[in-house]
Amino acid sequence: MANTICVIVVPLITMIIYSLIYQKPSGFKIRPKGIVILLYLFSSTVILLSLYYSASESRNLSIDEVCRKKTGNQADESYIYIKNNGDLSCSTKRLYLSDSDRYLKSQELVETQIAPKESLKIILAGKGSPSIKKNGNSTLYLSDSIGIIDSLSVPPLMPDQSYVNTPSGWKTVNNNAFGVSSPIFSAESGFYSKPFNLSILSPDGHDIYYTLDGTVPTLDSIRYSGPIKVVDRSPENNSLRNIRNVIPNYKSEWDESNAASPVDKAFIVRAVCIDSNGECSPVVTNSFFINLDKYKSSNVISLVADPEDLFGENGIYSNGAEYDQWNETHSETDTVDEDDIPEANWEKSGMDWERVAVFDYYENGEEQIKQLTGIRIQGHGSRENALKRFSVFSRKQYSGSKYFDKSLFSDGPTHSVVLRPGDHQALIQALCSDRDVLTMPPKRITLFLNGEFWYEAFMFEKPNLRYISNHYNVNTANIAIVKNGQHGTEVHDGSNPYELIYEFPESNPLEDNNNYSKYDEIIDIQSFIDSTCIQVYIANMDYQEEWNNYLWHTIDKEDSSYGDTRWRWGLYDMDNNGQALSDEYVVDATYKINPFKMHGKYQEWPLSEWNIFSRLRANDEFCRKFVLSFMDIVNTVFRMDNVNEKIRKLQITDDNIGSFYSHRAEYVVPFVAEEFELRGTTGTVLLTSNRSGTPISLNTISPKLDNGKWDGIYFTDYPVIVRSNDVGFDHWEITSDGVTTTTSESEVEISVTEGGITINAIYE
């Protein structure tokens, strides 16, 4: 379109300008009225181009749902949802709806903004508004000043029915407000000590149909005729765990233990009321845990989805028909090009591979949340496992809200979560939540899939745009995320693009303090230090600066603490501490790994040679901050009493994890000394005060003073910095080598000696 404008408008303007100017022997002369006409042409061209570029944002809009209501009353009106599929907010100025392609401006939208991936509800009311016909034959048009953006042919819709764009295509669905009432169960979801008879009632006297295998009930399902015996189904043979075509080489690599021994099972009942016209009520899904009180003290999730959506030909959990057909015609010994292997369903991602499921969540045996959600397969290499990870999303199109009915964590509303095993991932996220890195605090959960025990795992909030927005108080539409060196979505990075992280140090030596300061405006250097210190300590050899990394920033500046556009780090995929060590290195224990000198199987060089670290390493201030921050983390985050407390709370039973942390400090601290060429020794820093709690900050930490004291080990090469945190501070008493000095400065720098120092904070 822009090229078309240029091809037509520019020559036309050139011809007009030439006609307004004539040449005399002495040169060119503008005709008297030429200036006015030229200004008019210039302003018209600017307006035309601005209209085009503003309209181009609206190209990402689409009609996402249409609902036909019963009447035209103010409280009961038809509506549509407009969705912004782009990655930038889009204005609705000069956007229109119509049911005729001859006149596209029937209803002008009220001016507002639609955030990326969000939808806007438009009421179809008033003179000229598009109509949705009962017998179909309606086409809705969304347009802007350029022309038609999107159109939708609407099928016949009964009152209170919607035509919805779902991950599996457009579908006609019944809304909660339509005429057929939901069935009423005689017992609620939950834990029961013994079997019982379940009765189901239709408030309107309609027929009831139900299923016991997770499928959505229809007229072809079991017709309810009397109470259902709800029993403990655990002794029954496993069903879902018997399905084999969910991993690549299931013929030879299938683990029979997945299906051999029956696992615990909940009793799932799904029921619906259907009237004589075939109209359905909303489906009611209940999960009953019989004789399973051992799970009452756990956080339990019952995830129920139609088995076809999980394990069918287009199921998100299965290999899929195309892959299985290819697998049948190839032997595992065949030499094949990986590019010729069809992509399995579980490898695919995006909204097209999201399915609807009931998310039923319990704490201490009490149901906390039950709502419709969207689920996807989550992870990278773990997708090949038989017991796969899930992402769960709360969306308006399923439950009417983009957030779960109740917050699943302590810091604000929850939009989406990940369900995944991984003791070490959970431990690291829990340990490091107070550092300058993005973390996802875990909750241990027990997952049942369609009533069948699936695994013990952890639930994390997904570190997506909404999570960052809620956590750091920044605008969702103004956030860019990079994982594994790639943008999660196609977005621009404003004046601070991701590539600048690597390009700036190449041409601006960071040993120069001016360049170092400028680089601190590109990245949050403290966040980089914290992330790197953690990776070094845990010996994560599956990480490097552009792999298994997680970075985010605000695209444009905002008036908030984290709205400065600097790139910050997050902790991502922390499972493989030491397990991915390159074969050229031999250690008899993972706690002996030196990441500064060794590299992983998927890395080409050790940490000391990495792009960012090696250049920052040349700056003296960076070295000081890194060493002090590392020892802060050693003395707090990875202190054994803190590690053991988190292991206990997360119910981690892997002895290897406890063994690693009990030995790691004695090896990794000397590794840091060697890397930073420290010449001193270590000494104890003892903090005391006449106040308890956290009245003192030391470098980057505010340690808790139990019984008025705390101690840690620090290198003598760099002085430590202490600051007073509380009002009423009077003075410091500093004892070193038997000599005590005092100062009333609230922040002081103190040298560490081999014999240790005592820093006593005195408050009024």
Side-chain angles (χ1 to χ4, degrees), residues 91-137:
S91 171
T92 59
K93 187 176 182 179
R94 297 192 184 93
L95 294 184
Y96 309 90
L97 286 171
S98 177
D99 55 10
S100 171
D101 59 352
R102 295 183 178 180
Y103 183 67
L104 295 173
K105 298 183 178 180
S106 296
Q107 180 176 342
E108 185 173 4
L109 274 58
V110 176
E111 185 176 353
T112 185
Q113 293 284 328
I114 308 178
K117 314 305 180 187
E118 295 291 341
S119 298
L120 176 68
K121 184 178 182 180
I122 307 296
I123 302 297
L124 302 180
K127 186 177 180 180
S129 293
S131 62
I132 302 173
K133 300 174 184 178
K134 175 181 178 180
N135 60 351
N137 300 321

Side-chain angles (χ1 to χ4, degrees), residues 88-228:
L88 296 174
S89 292
C90 182
S91 171
T92 59
K93 187 176 182 179
R94 297 192 184 93
L95 294 184
Y96 309 90
L97 286 171
S98 177
D99 55 10
S100 171
D101 59 352
R102 295 183 178 180
Y103 183 67
L104 295 173
K105 298 183 178 180
S106 296
Q107 180 176 342
E108 185 173 4
L109 274 58
V110 176
E111 185 176 353
T112 185
Q113 293 284 328
I114 308 178
K117 314 305 180 187
E118 295 291 341
S119 298
L120 176 68
K121 184 178 182 180
I122 307 296
I123 302 297
L124 302 180
K127 186 177 180 180
S129 293
S131 62
I132 302 173
K133 300 174 184 178
K134 175 181 178 180
N135 60 351
N137 300 321
S138 308
T139 301
L140 294 179
Y141 298 91
L142 174 66
S143 64
D144 60 11
S145 56
I146 301 298
I148 295 173
I149 299 171
D150 192 24
S151 63
L152 178 67
S153 296
V154 184
L157 292 176
M158 297 295 290
D160 293 307
Q161 281 189 327
S162 286
Y163 191 47
V164 182
N165 187 12
T166 71
S168 55
W170 284 91
K171 291 183 179 180
T172 300
V173 299
N174 294 309
N175 297 309
N176 291 341
F178 74 108
V180 181
S181 300
S182 301
I184 299 174
F185 283 45
S186 63
E188 298 295 329
S189 294
F191 290 81
Y192 294 84
S193 58
K194 60 183 179 180
F196 64 90
N197 290 323
L198 174 70
S199 298
I200 307 177
L201 170 69
S202 170
D204 304 323
H206 299 309
D207 288 338
I208 301 170
Y209 294 84
Y210 70 94
T211 63
L212 304 178
D213 61 356
T215 56
V216 176
T218 65
L219 284 169
D220 296 326
S221 302
I222 307 170
R223 183 175 180 275
Y224 178 79
S225 58
I228 302 167

Side-chain angles (χ1 to χ4, degrees), residues 645-659:
E645 179 189 3
K646 295 296 191 295
I647 286 176
R648 179 183 58 80
K649 286 186 176 180
L650 295 172
Q651 303 173 39
I652 294 173
T653 57
D654 186 346
D655 292 337
N656 292 326
I657 291 178
S659 175

Side-chain angles (χ1 to χ4, degrees), residues 277-572:
N277 295 321
E279 287 197 50
C280 301
S281 73
V283 176
V284 176
T285 302
N286 277 15
S287 302
F288 302 106
F289 298 87
I290 311 300
N291 294 330
L292 295 176
D293 285 355
K294 63 184 179 181
Y295 296 108
K296 288 182 71 173
S297 60
S298 306
N299 301 315
V300 175
I301 295 174
S302 174
L303 208 58
V304 180
D306 195 301
E308 191 67 21
D309 284 342
L310 293 171
F311 301 101
E313 289 188 358
N314 293 311
I316 60 174
Y317 210 103
S318 68
N319 290 339
E322 185 180 6
Y323 184 96
D324 282 341
Q325 183 178 5
W326 177 90
N327 200 30
E328 288 295 329
T329 59
H330 289 80
S331 169
E332 294 177 19
T333 59
D334 292 346
T335 301
V336 296
D337 188 335
E338 288 193 7
D339 293 336
D340 295 333
I341 304 176
E343 189 178 29
N345 289 358
W346 40 259
E347 293 182 277
K348 300 172 183 177
S349 59
M351 281 297 295
D352 288 345
W353 295 94
E354 181 174 305
R355 300 294 183 263
V356 180
V358 177
F359 180 87
D360 204 357
Y361 176 63
Y362 301 81
E363 289 182 355
N364 298 318
E366 298 293 328
E367 186 178 61
Q368 304 296 316
I369 297 173
K370 181 194 288 183
Q371 70 183 76
L372 285 177
T373 58
I375 62 171
R376 303 182 192 179
I377 302 301
Q378 190 271 343
H380 184 62
S382 62
R383 289 171 179 257
E384 294 188 2
N385 298 340
L387 301 179
K388 306 183 192 300
R389 305 171 181 178
F390 287 101
S391 291
V392 186
F393 302 86
S394 178
R395 301 196 190 280
K396 287 184 178 180
Q397 65 204 72
Y398 306 133
S399 65
S401 174
K402 61 185 178 182
Y403 295 112
F404 284 93
D405 293 341
K406 182 177 179 180
S407 177
L408 290 164
F409 300 90
S410 59
D411 55 348
T414 308
H415 164 64
S416 51
V417 297
V418 175
L419 311 178
R420 53 160 293 175
D423 285 353
H424 199 249
Q425 161 81 357
L427 179 61
I428 294 300
Q429 299 288 349
L431 286 170
C432 301
S433 59
D434 291 334
R435 297 305 302 181
D436 191 9
V437 287
L438 180 71
T439 59
M440 291 76 69
K443 272 191 176 182
R444 178 171 279 279
I445 58 100
T446 301
L447 177 65
F448 286 79
L449 183 62
N450 281 15
E452 201 161 300
F453 172 82
W454 216 240
Y455 45 59
E456 297 280 352
F458 294 94
M459 175 169 63
F460 303 87
E461 193 163 357
K462 285 183 72 69
N464 52 23
L465 299 177
R466 284 202 179 96
Y467 178 79
I468 293 173
S469 175
N470 293 337
H471 198 68
Y472 292 107
N473 192 30
V474 291
N475 185 2
T476 305
N478 191 35
I479 300 169
I481 296 174
V482 170
K483 289 192 296 186
N484 290 335
Q486 298 179 340
H487 282 296
T489 54
E490 292 299 324
V491 296
H492 71 84
D493 291 327
S495 60
N496 187 15
Y498 171 71
E499 292 74 16
L500 200 58
I501 297 173
Y502 306 96
E503 293 172 356
F504 183 88
E506 291 180 356
S507 54
N508 300 275
L510 297 181
E511 57 263 34
D512 182 290
N513 286 332
N514 288 328
N515 290 336
Y516 181 80
S517 297
K518 291 178 182 177
Y519 194 51
D520 197 27
E521 296 175 2
I522 296 172
I523 71 170
D524 181 338
I525 290 180
Q526 185 61 54
S527 182
F528 172 80
I529 287 174
D530 279 10
S531 172
T532 307
C533 287
I534 293 166
Q535 303 288 359
V536 167
Y537 196 97
I538 69 171
N540 186 3
M541 307 310 286
D542 195 26
Y543 169 85
Q544 58 186 0
E545 287 174 352
E546 295 185 61
W547 172 253
N548 265 357
N549 64 352
Y550 184 103
L551 291 89
W552 74 275
H553 79 148
T554 53
I555 299 168
D556 299 312
K557 285 193 175 182
E558 294 185 18
D559 186 18
S560 64
S561 300
Y562 292 89
D564 54 17
T565 77
R566 292 194 298 168
W567 288 93
R568 292 176 166 87
W569 271 254
L571 299 184
Y572 173 75

